[in-house]
Amino acid sequence: MALIGLNRDELDLSQLPKDSFYDPKKDDKDDLSGVQIRATITFRITNPDGTVVREWTEPAHSFVENFALFIQALWGATSAVLSDTAGYSVSINGASGGTMAINAPSGNTDYGIVVGSGATAGSTPSPFQSNLTAKIPQGTASGQIEYGATSVSTTSVSGQTSSFTISRSFTNVSGSTINVTEIGIIAYLTGWAMEASSGTSPVSESSDYFLIAYDIPSSAITIQNGQTLTITYTFSVTT
């Protein structure tokens, strides 16, 4: 179908077929096979013996403003100002070179996939989020959870779709139930000629942490004592 007109005001939108209107809030009900860029999150809860208690997949409404700013700076070989996880404005230079890592080791909560309990399940994430509202700390005490390593898979191709995954497991040995209501991906940036705003003059820094993706699950994820929650992001592009 061709849409002909000098501007969009000339289009009679009431005549367009319903399937031409894409509503990302209904990802879980729509067939996304034709969407070029897609992100999903798979959650798996297992008992200590490895038995799968529950496994399900939800659409991810992930990337926040920080991610868009970083890509724009990188592709445009220019500067952009991001907000680090401490809430400071940090200038990065996409032409200067650097690294962007999310493969955090076990026990490290500064970057990689992280979980929190400070959001209202089912609410809409903010594009300006710079950190989790209440990150669940690493540990075995009450209100803490053990963080495994964040792994990034190689890219695979199936038909017209190229994809890779990011995964991390969280084990609850706190002695009580833990509820997860927010999930993030924090990137560890080094290089990029970074300068943080501090007082009246910028301060150079060699590395910093930035939230690049933030998700709020449709309902709180309950992890009983002894259980493990594994979170897997799948990012794919279809030609």
Side-chain angles (χ1 to χ4, degrees):
M1 177 179 69
L3 303 179
I4 302 174
L6 296 178
N7 57 63
R8 66 179 185 177
D9 294 331
E10 294 184 26
L11 300 175
D12 183 359
L13 299 182
S14 66
Q15 300 303 310
L16 294 178
K18 289 183 179 180
D19 60 4
S20 67
F21 295 95
Y22 175 64
D23 181 2
K25 301 300 289 183
K26 296 180 179 178
D27 282 353
D28 57 336
K29 301 178 181 66
D30 294 342
D31 176 11
L32 297 184
S33 59
V35 178
Q36 186 182 28
I37 301 177
R38 181 185 182 189
T40 60
I41 313 175
T42 297
F43 303 96
R44 185 175 73 247
I45 298 175
T46 54
N47 283 330
D49 63 0
T51 303
V52 177
V53 177
R54 185 185 176 199
E55 184 170 5
W56 73 101
T57 299
E58 296 186 10
H61 302 284
S62 291
F63 290 123
V64 294
E65 183 192 33
N66 270 345
F67 179 79
L69 289 169
F70 177 80
I71 295 298
Q72 184 267 331
L74 184 63
W75 290 358
T78 186
S79 294
V81 177
L82 284 65
S83 296
D84 68 10
T85 52
Y88 293 105
S89 296
V90 179
S91 172
I92 67 165
N93 188 330
S96 67
T99 63
M100 182 185 197
I102 60 172
N103 55 337
S106 298
N108 187 311
T109 65
D110 290 329
Y111 68 117
I113 299 176
V114 292
V115 293
S117 59
T120 301
S123 60
T124 301
S126 167
F128 306 112
Q129 197 82 18
S130 61
N131 204 347
L132 271 62
T133 303
K135 186 191 298 181
I136 299 172
Q138 154 70 26
T140 60
S142 178
Q144 298 179 341
I145 199 165
E146 288 191 324
Y147 283 66
T150 298
S151 61
V152 182
S153 75
T154 58
T155 299
S156 63
V157 179
S158 177
Q160 297 297 111
T161 300
S162 303
S163 63
F164 69 95
T165 62
I166 304 170
S167 184
R168 192 171 206 174
S169 293
F170 306 84
T171 301
N172 179 12
V173 288
S174 68
S176 57
T177 298
I178 291 177
N179 291 312
V180 172
T181 62
E182 54 182 339
I183 304 146
I185 299 177
I186 297 176
Y188 175 48
L189 270 61
T190 57
W192 307 110
M194 290 186 288
E195 291 186 336
S197 298
S198 179
T200 58
S201 59
V203 177
S204 296
E205 57 181 30
S206 60
S207 62
D208 208 341
Y209 300 95
F210 300 88
L211 184 75
I212 60 171
Y214 182 72
D215 279 282
I216 299 176
S218 58
S219 59
I221 301 171
T222 300
I223 312 168
Q224 303 293 339
N225 183 55
Q227 292 183 333
T228 296
L229 168 67
T230 300
I231 298 175
T232 301
Y233 280 83
T234 300
F235 295 99
S236 61
V237 293
T238 301
T239 58

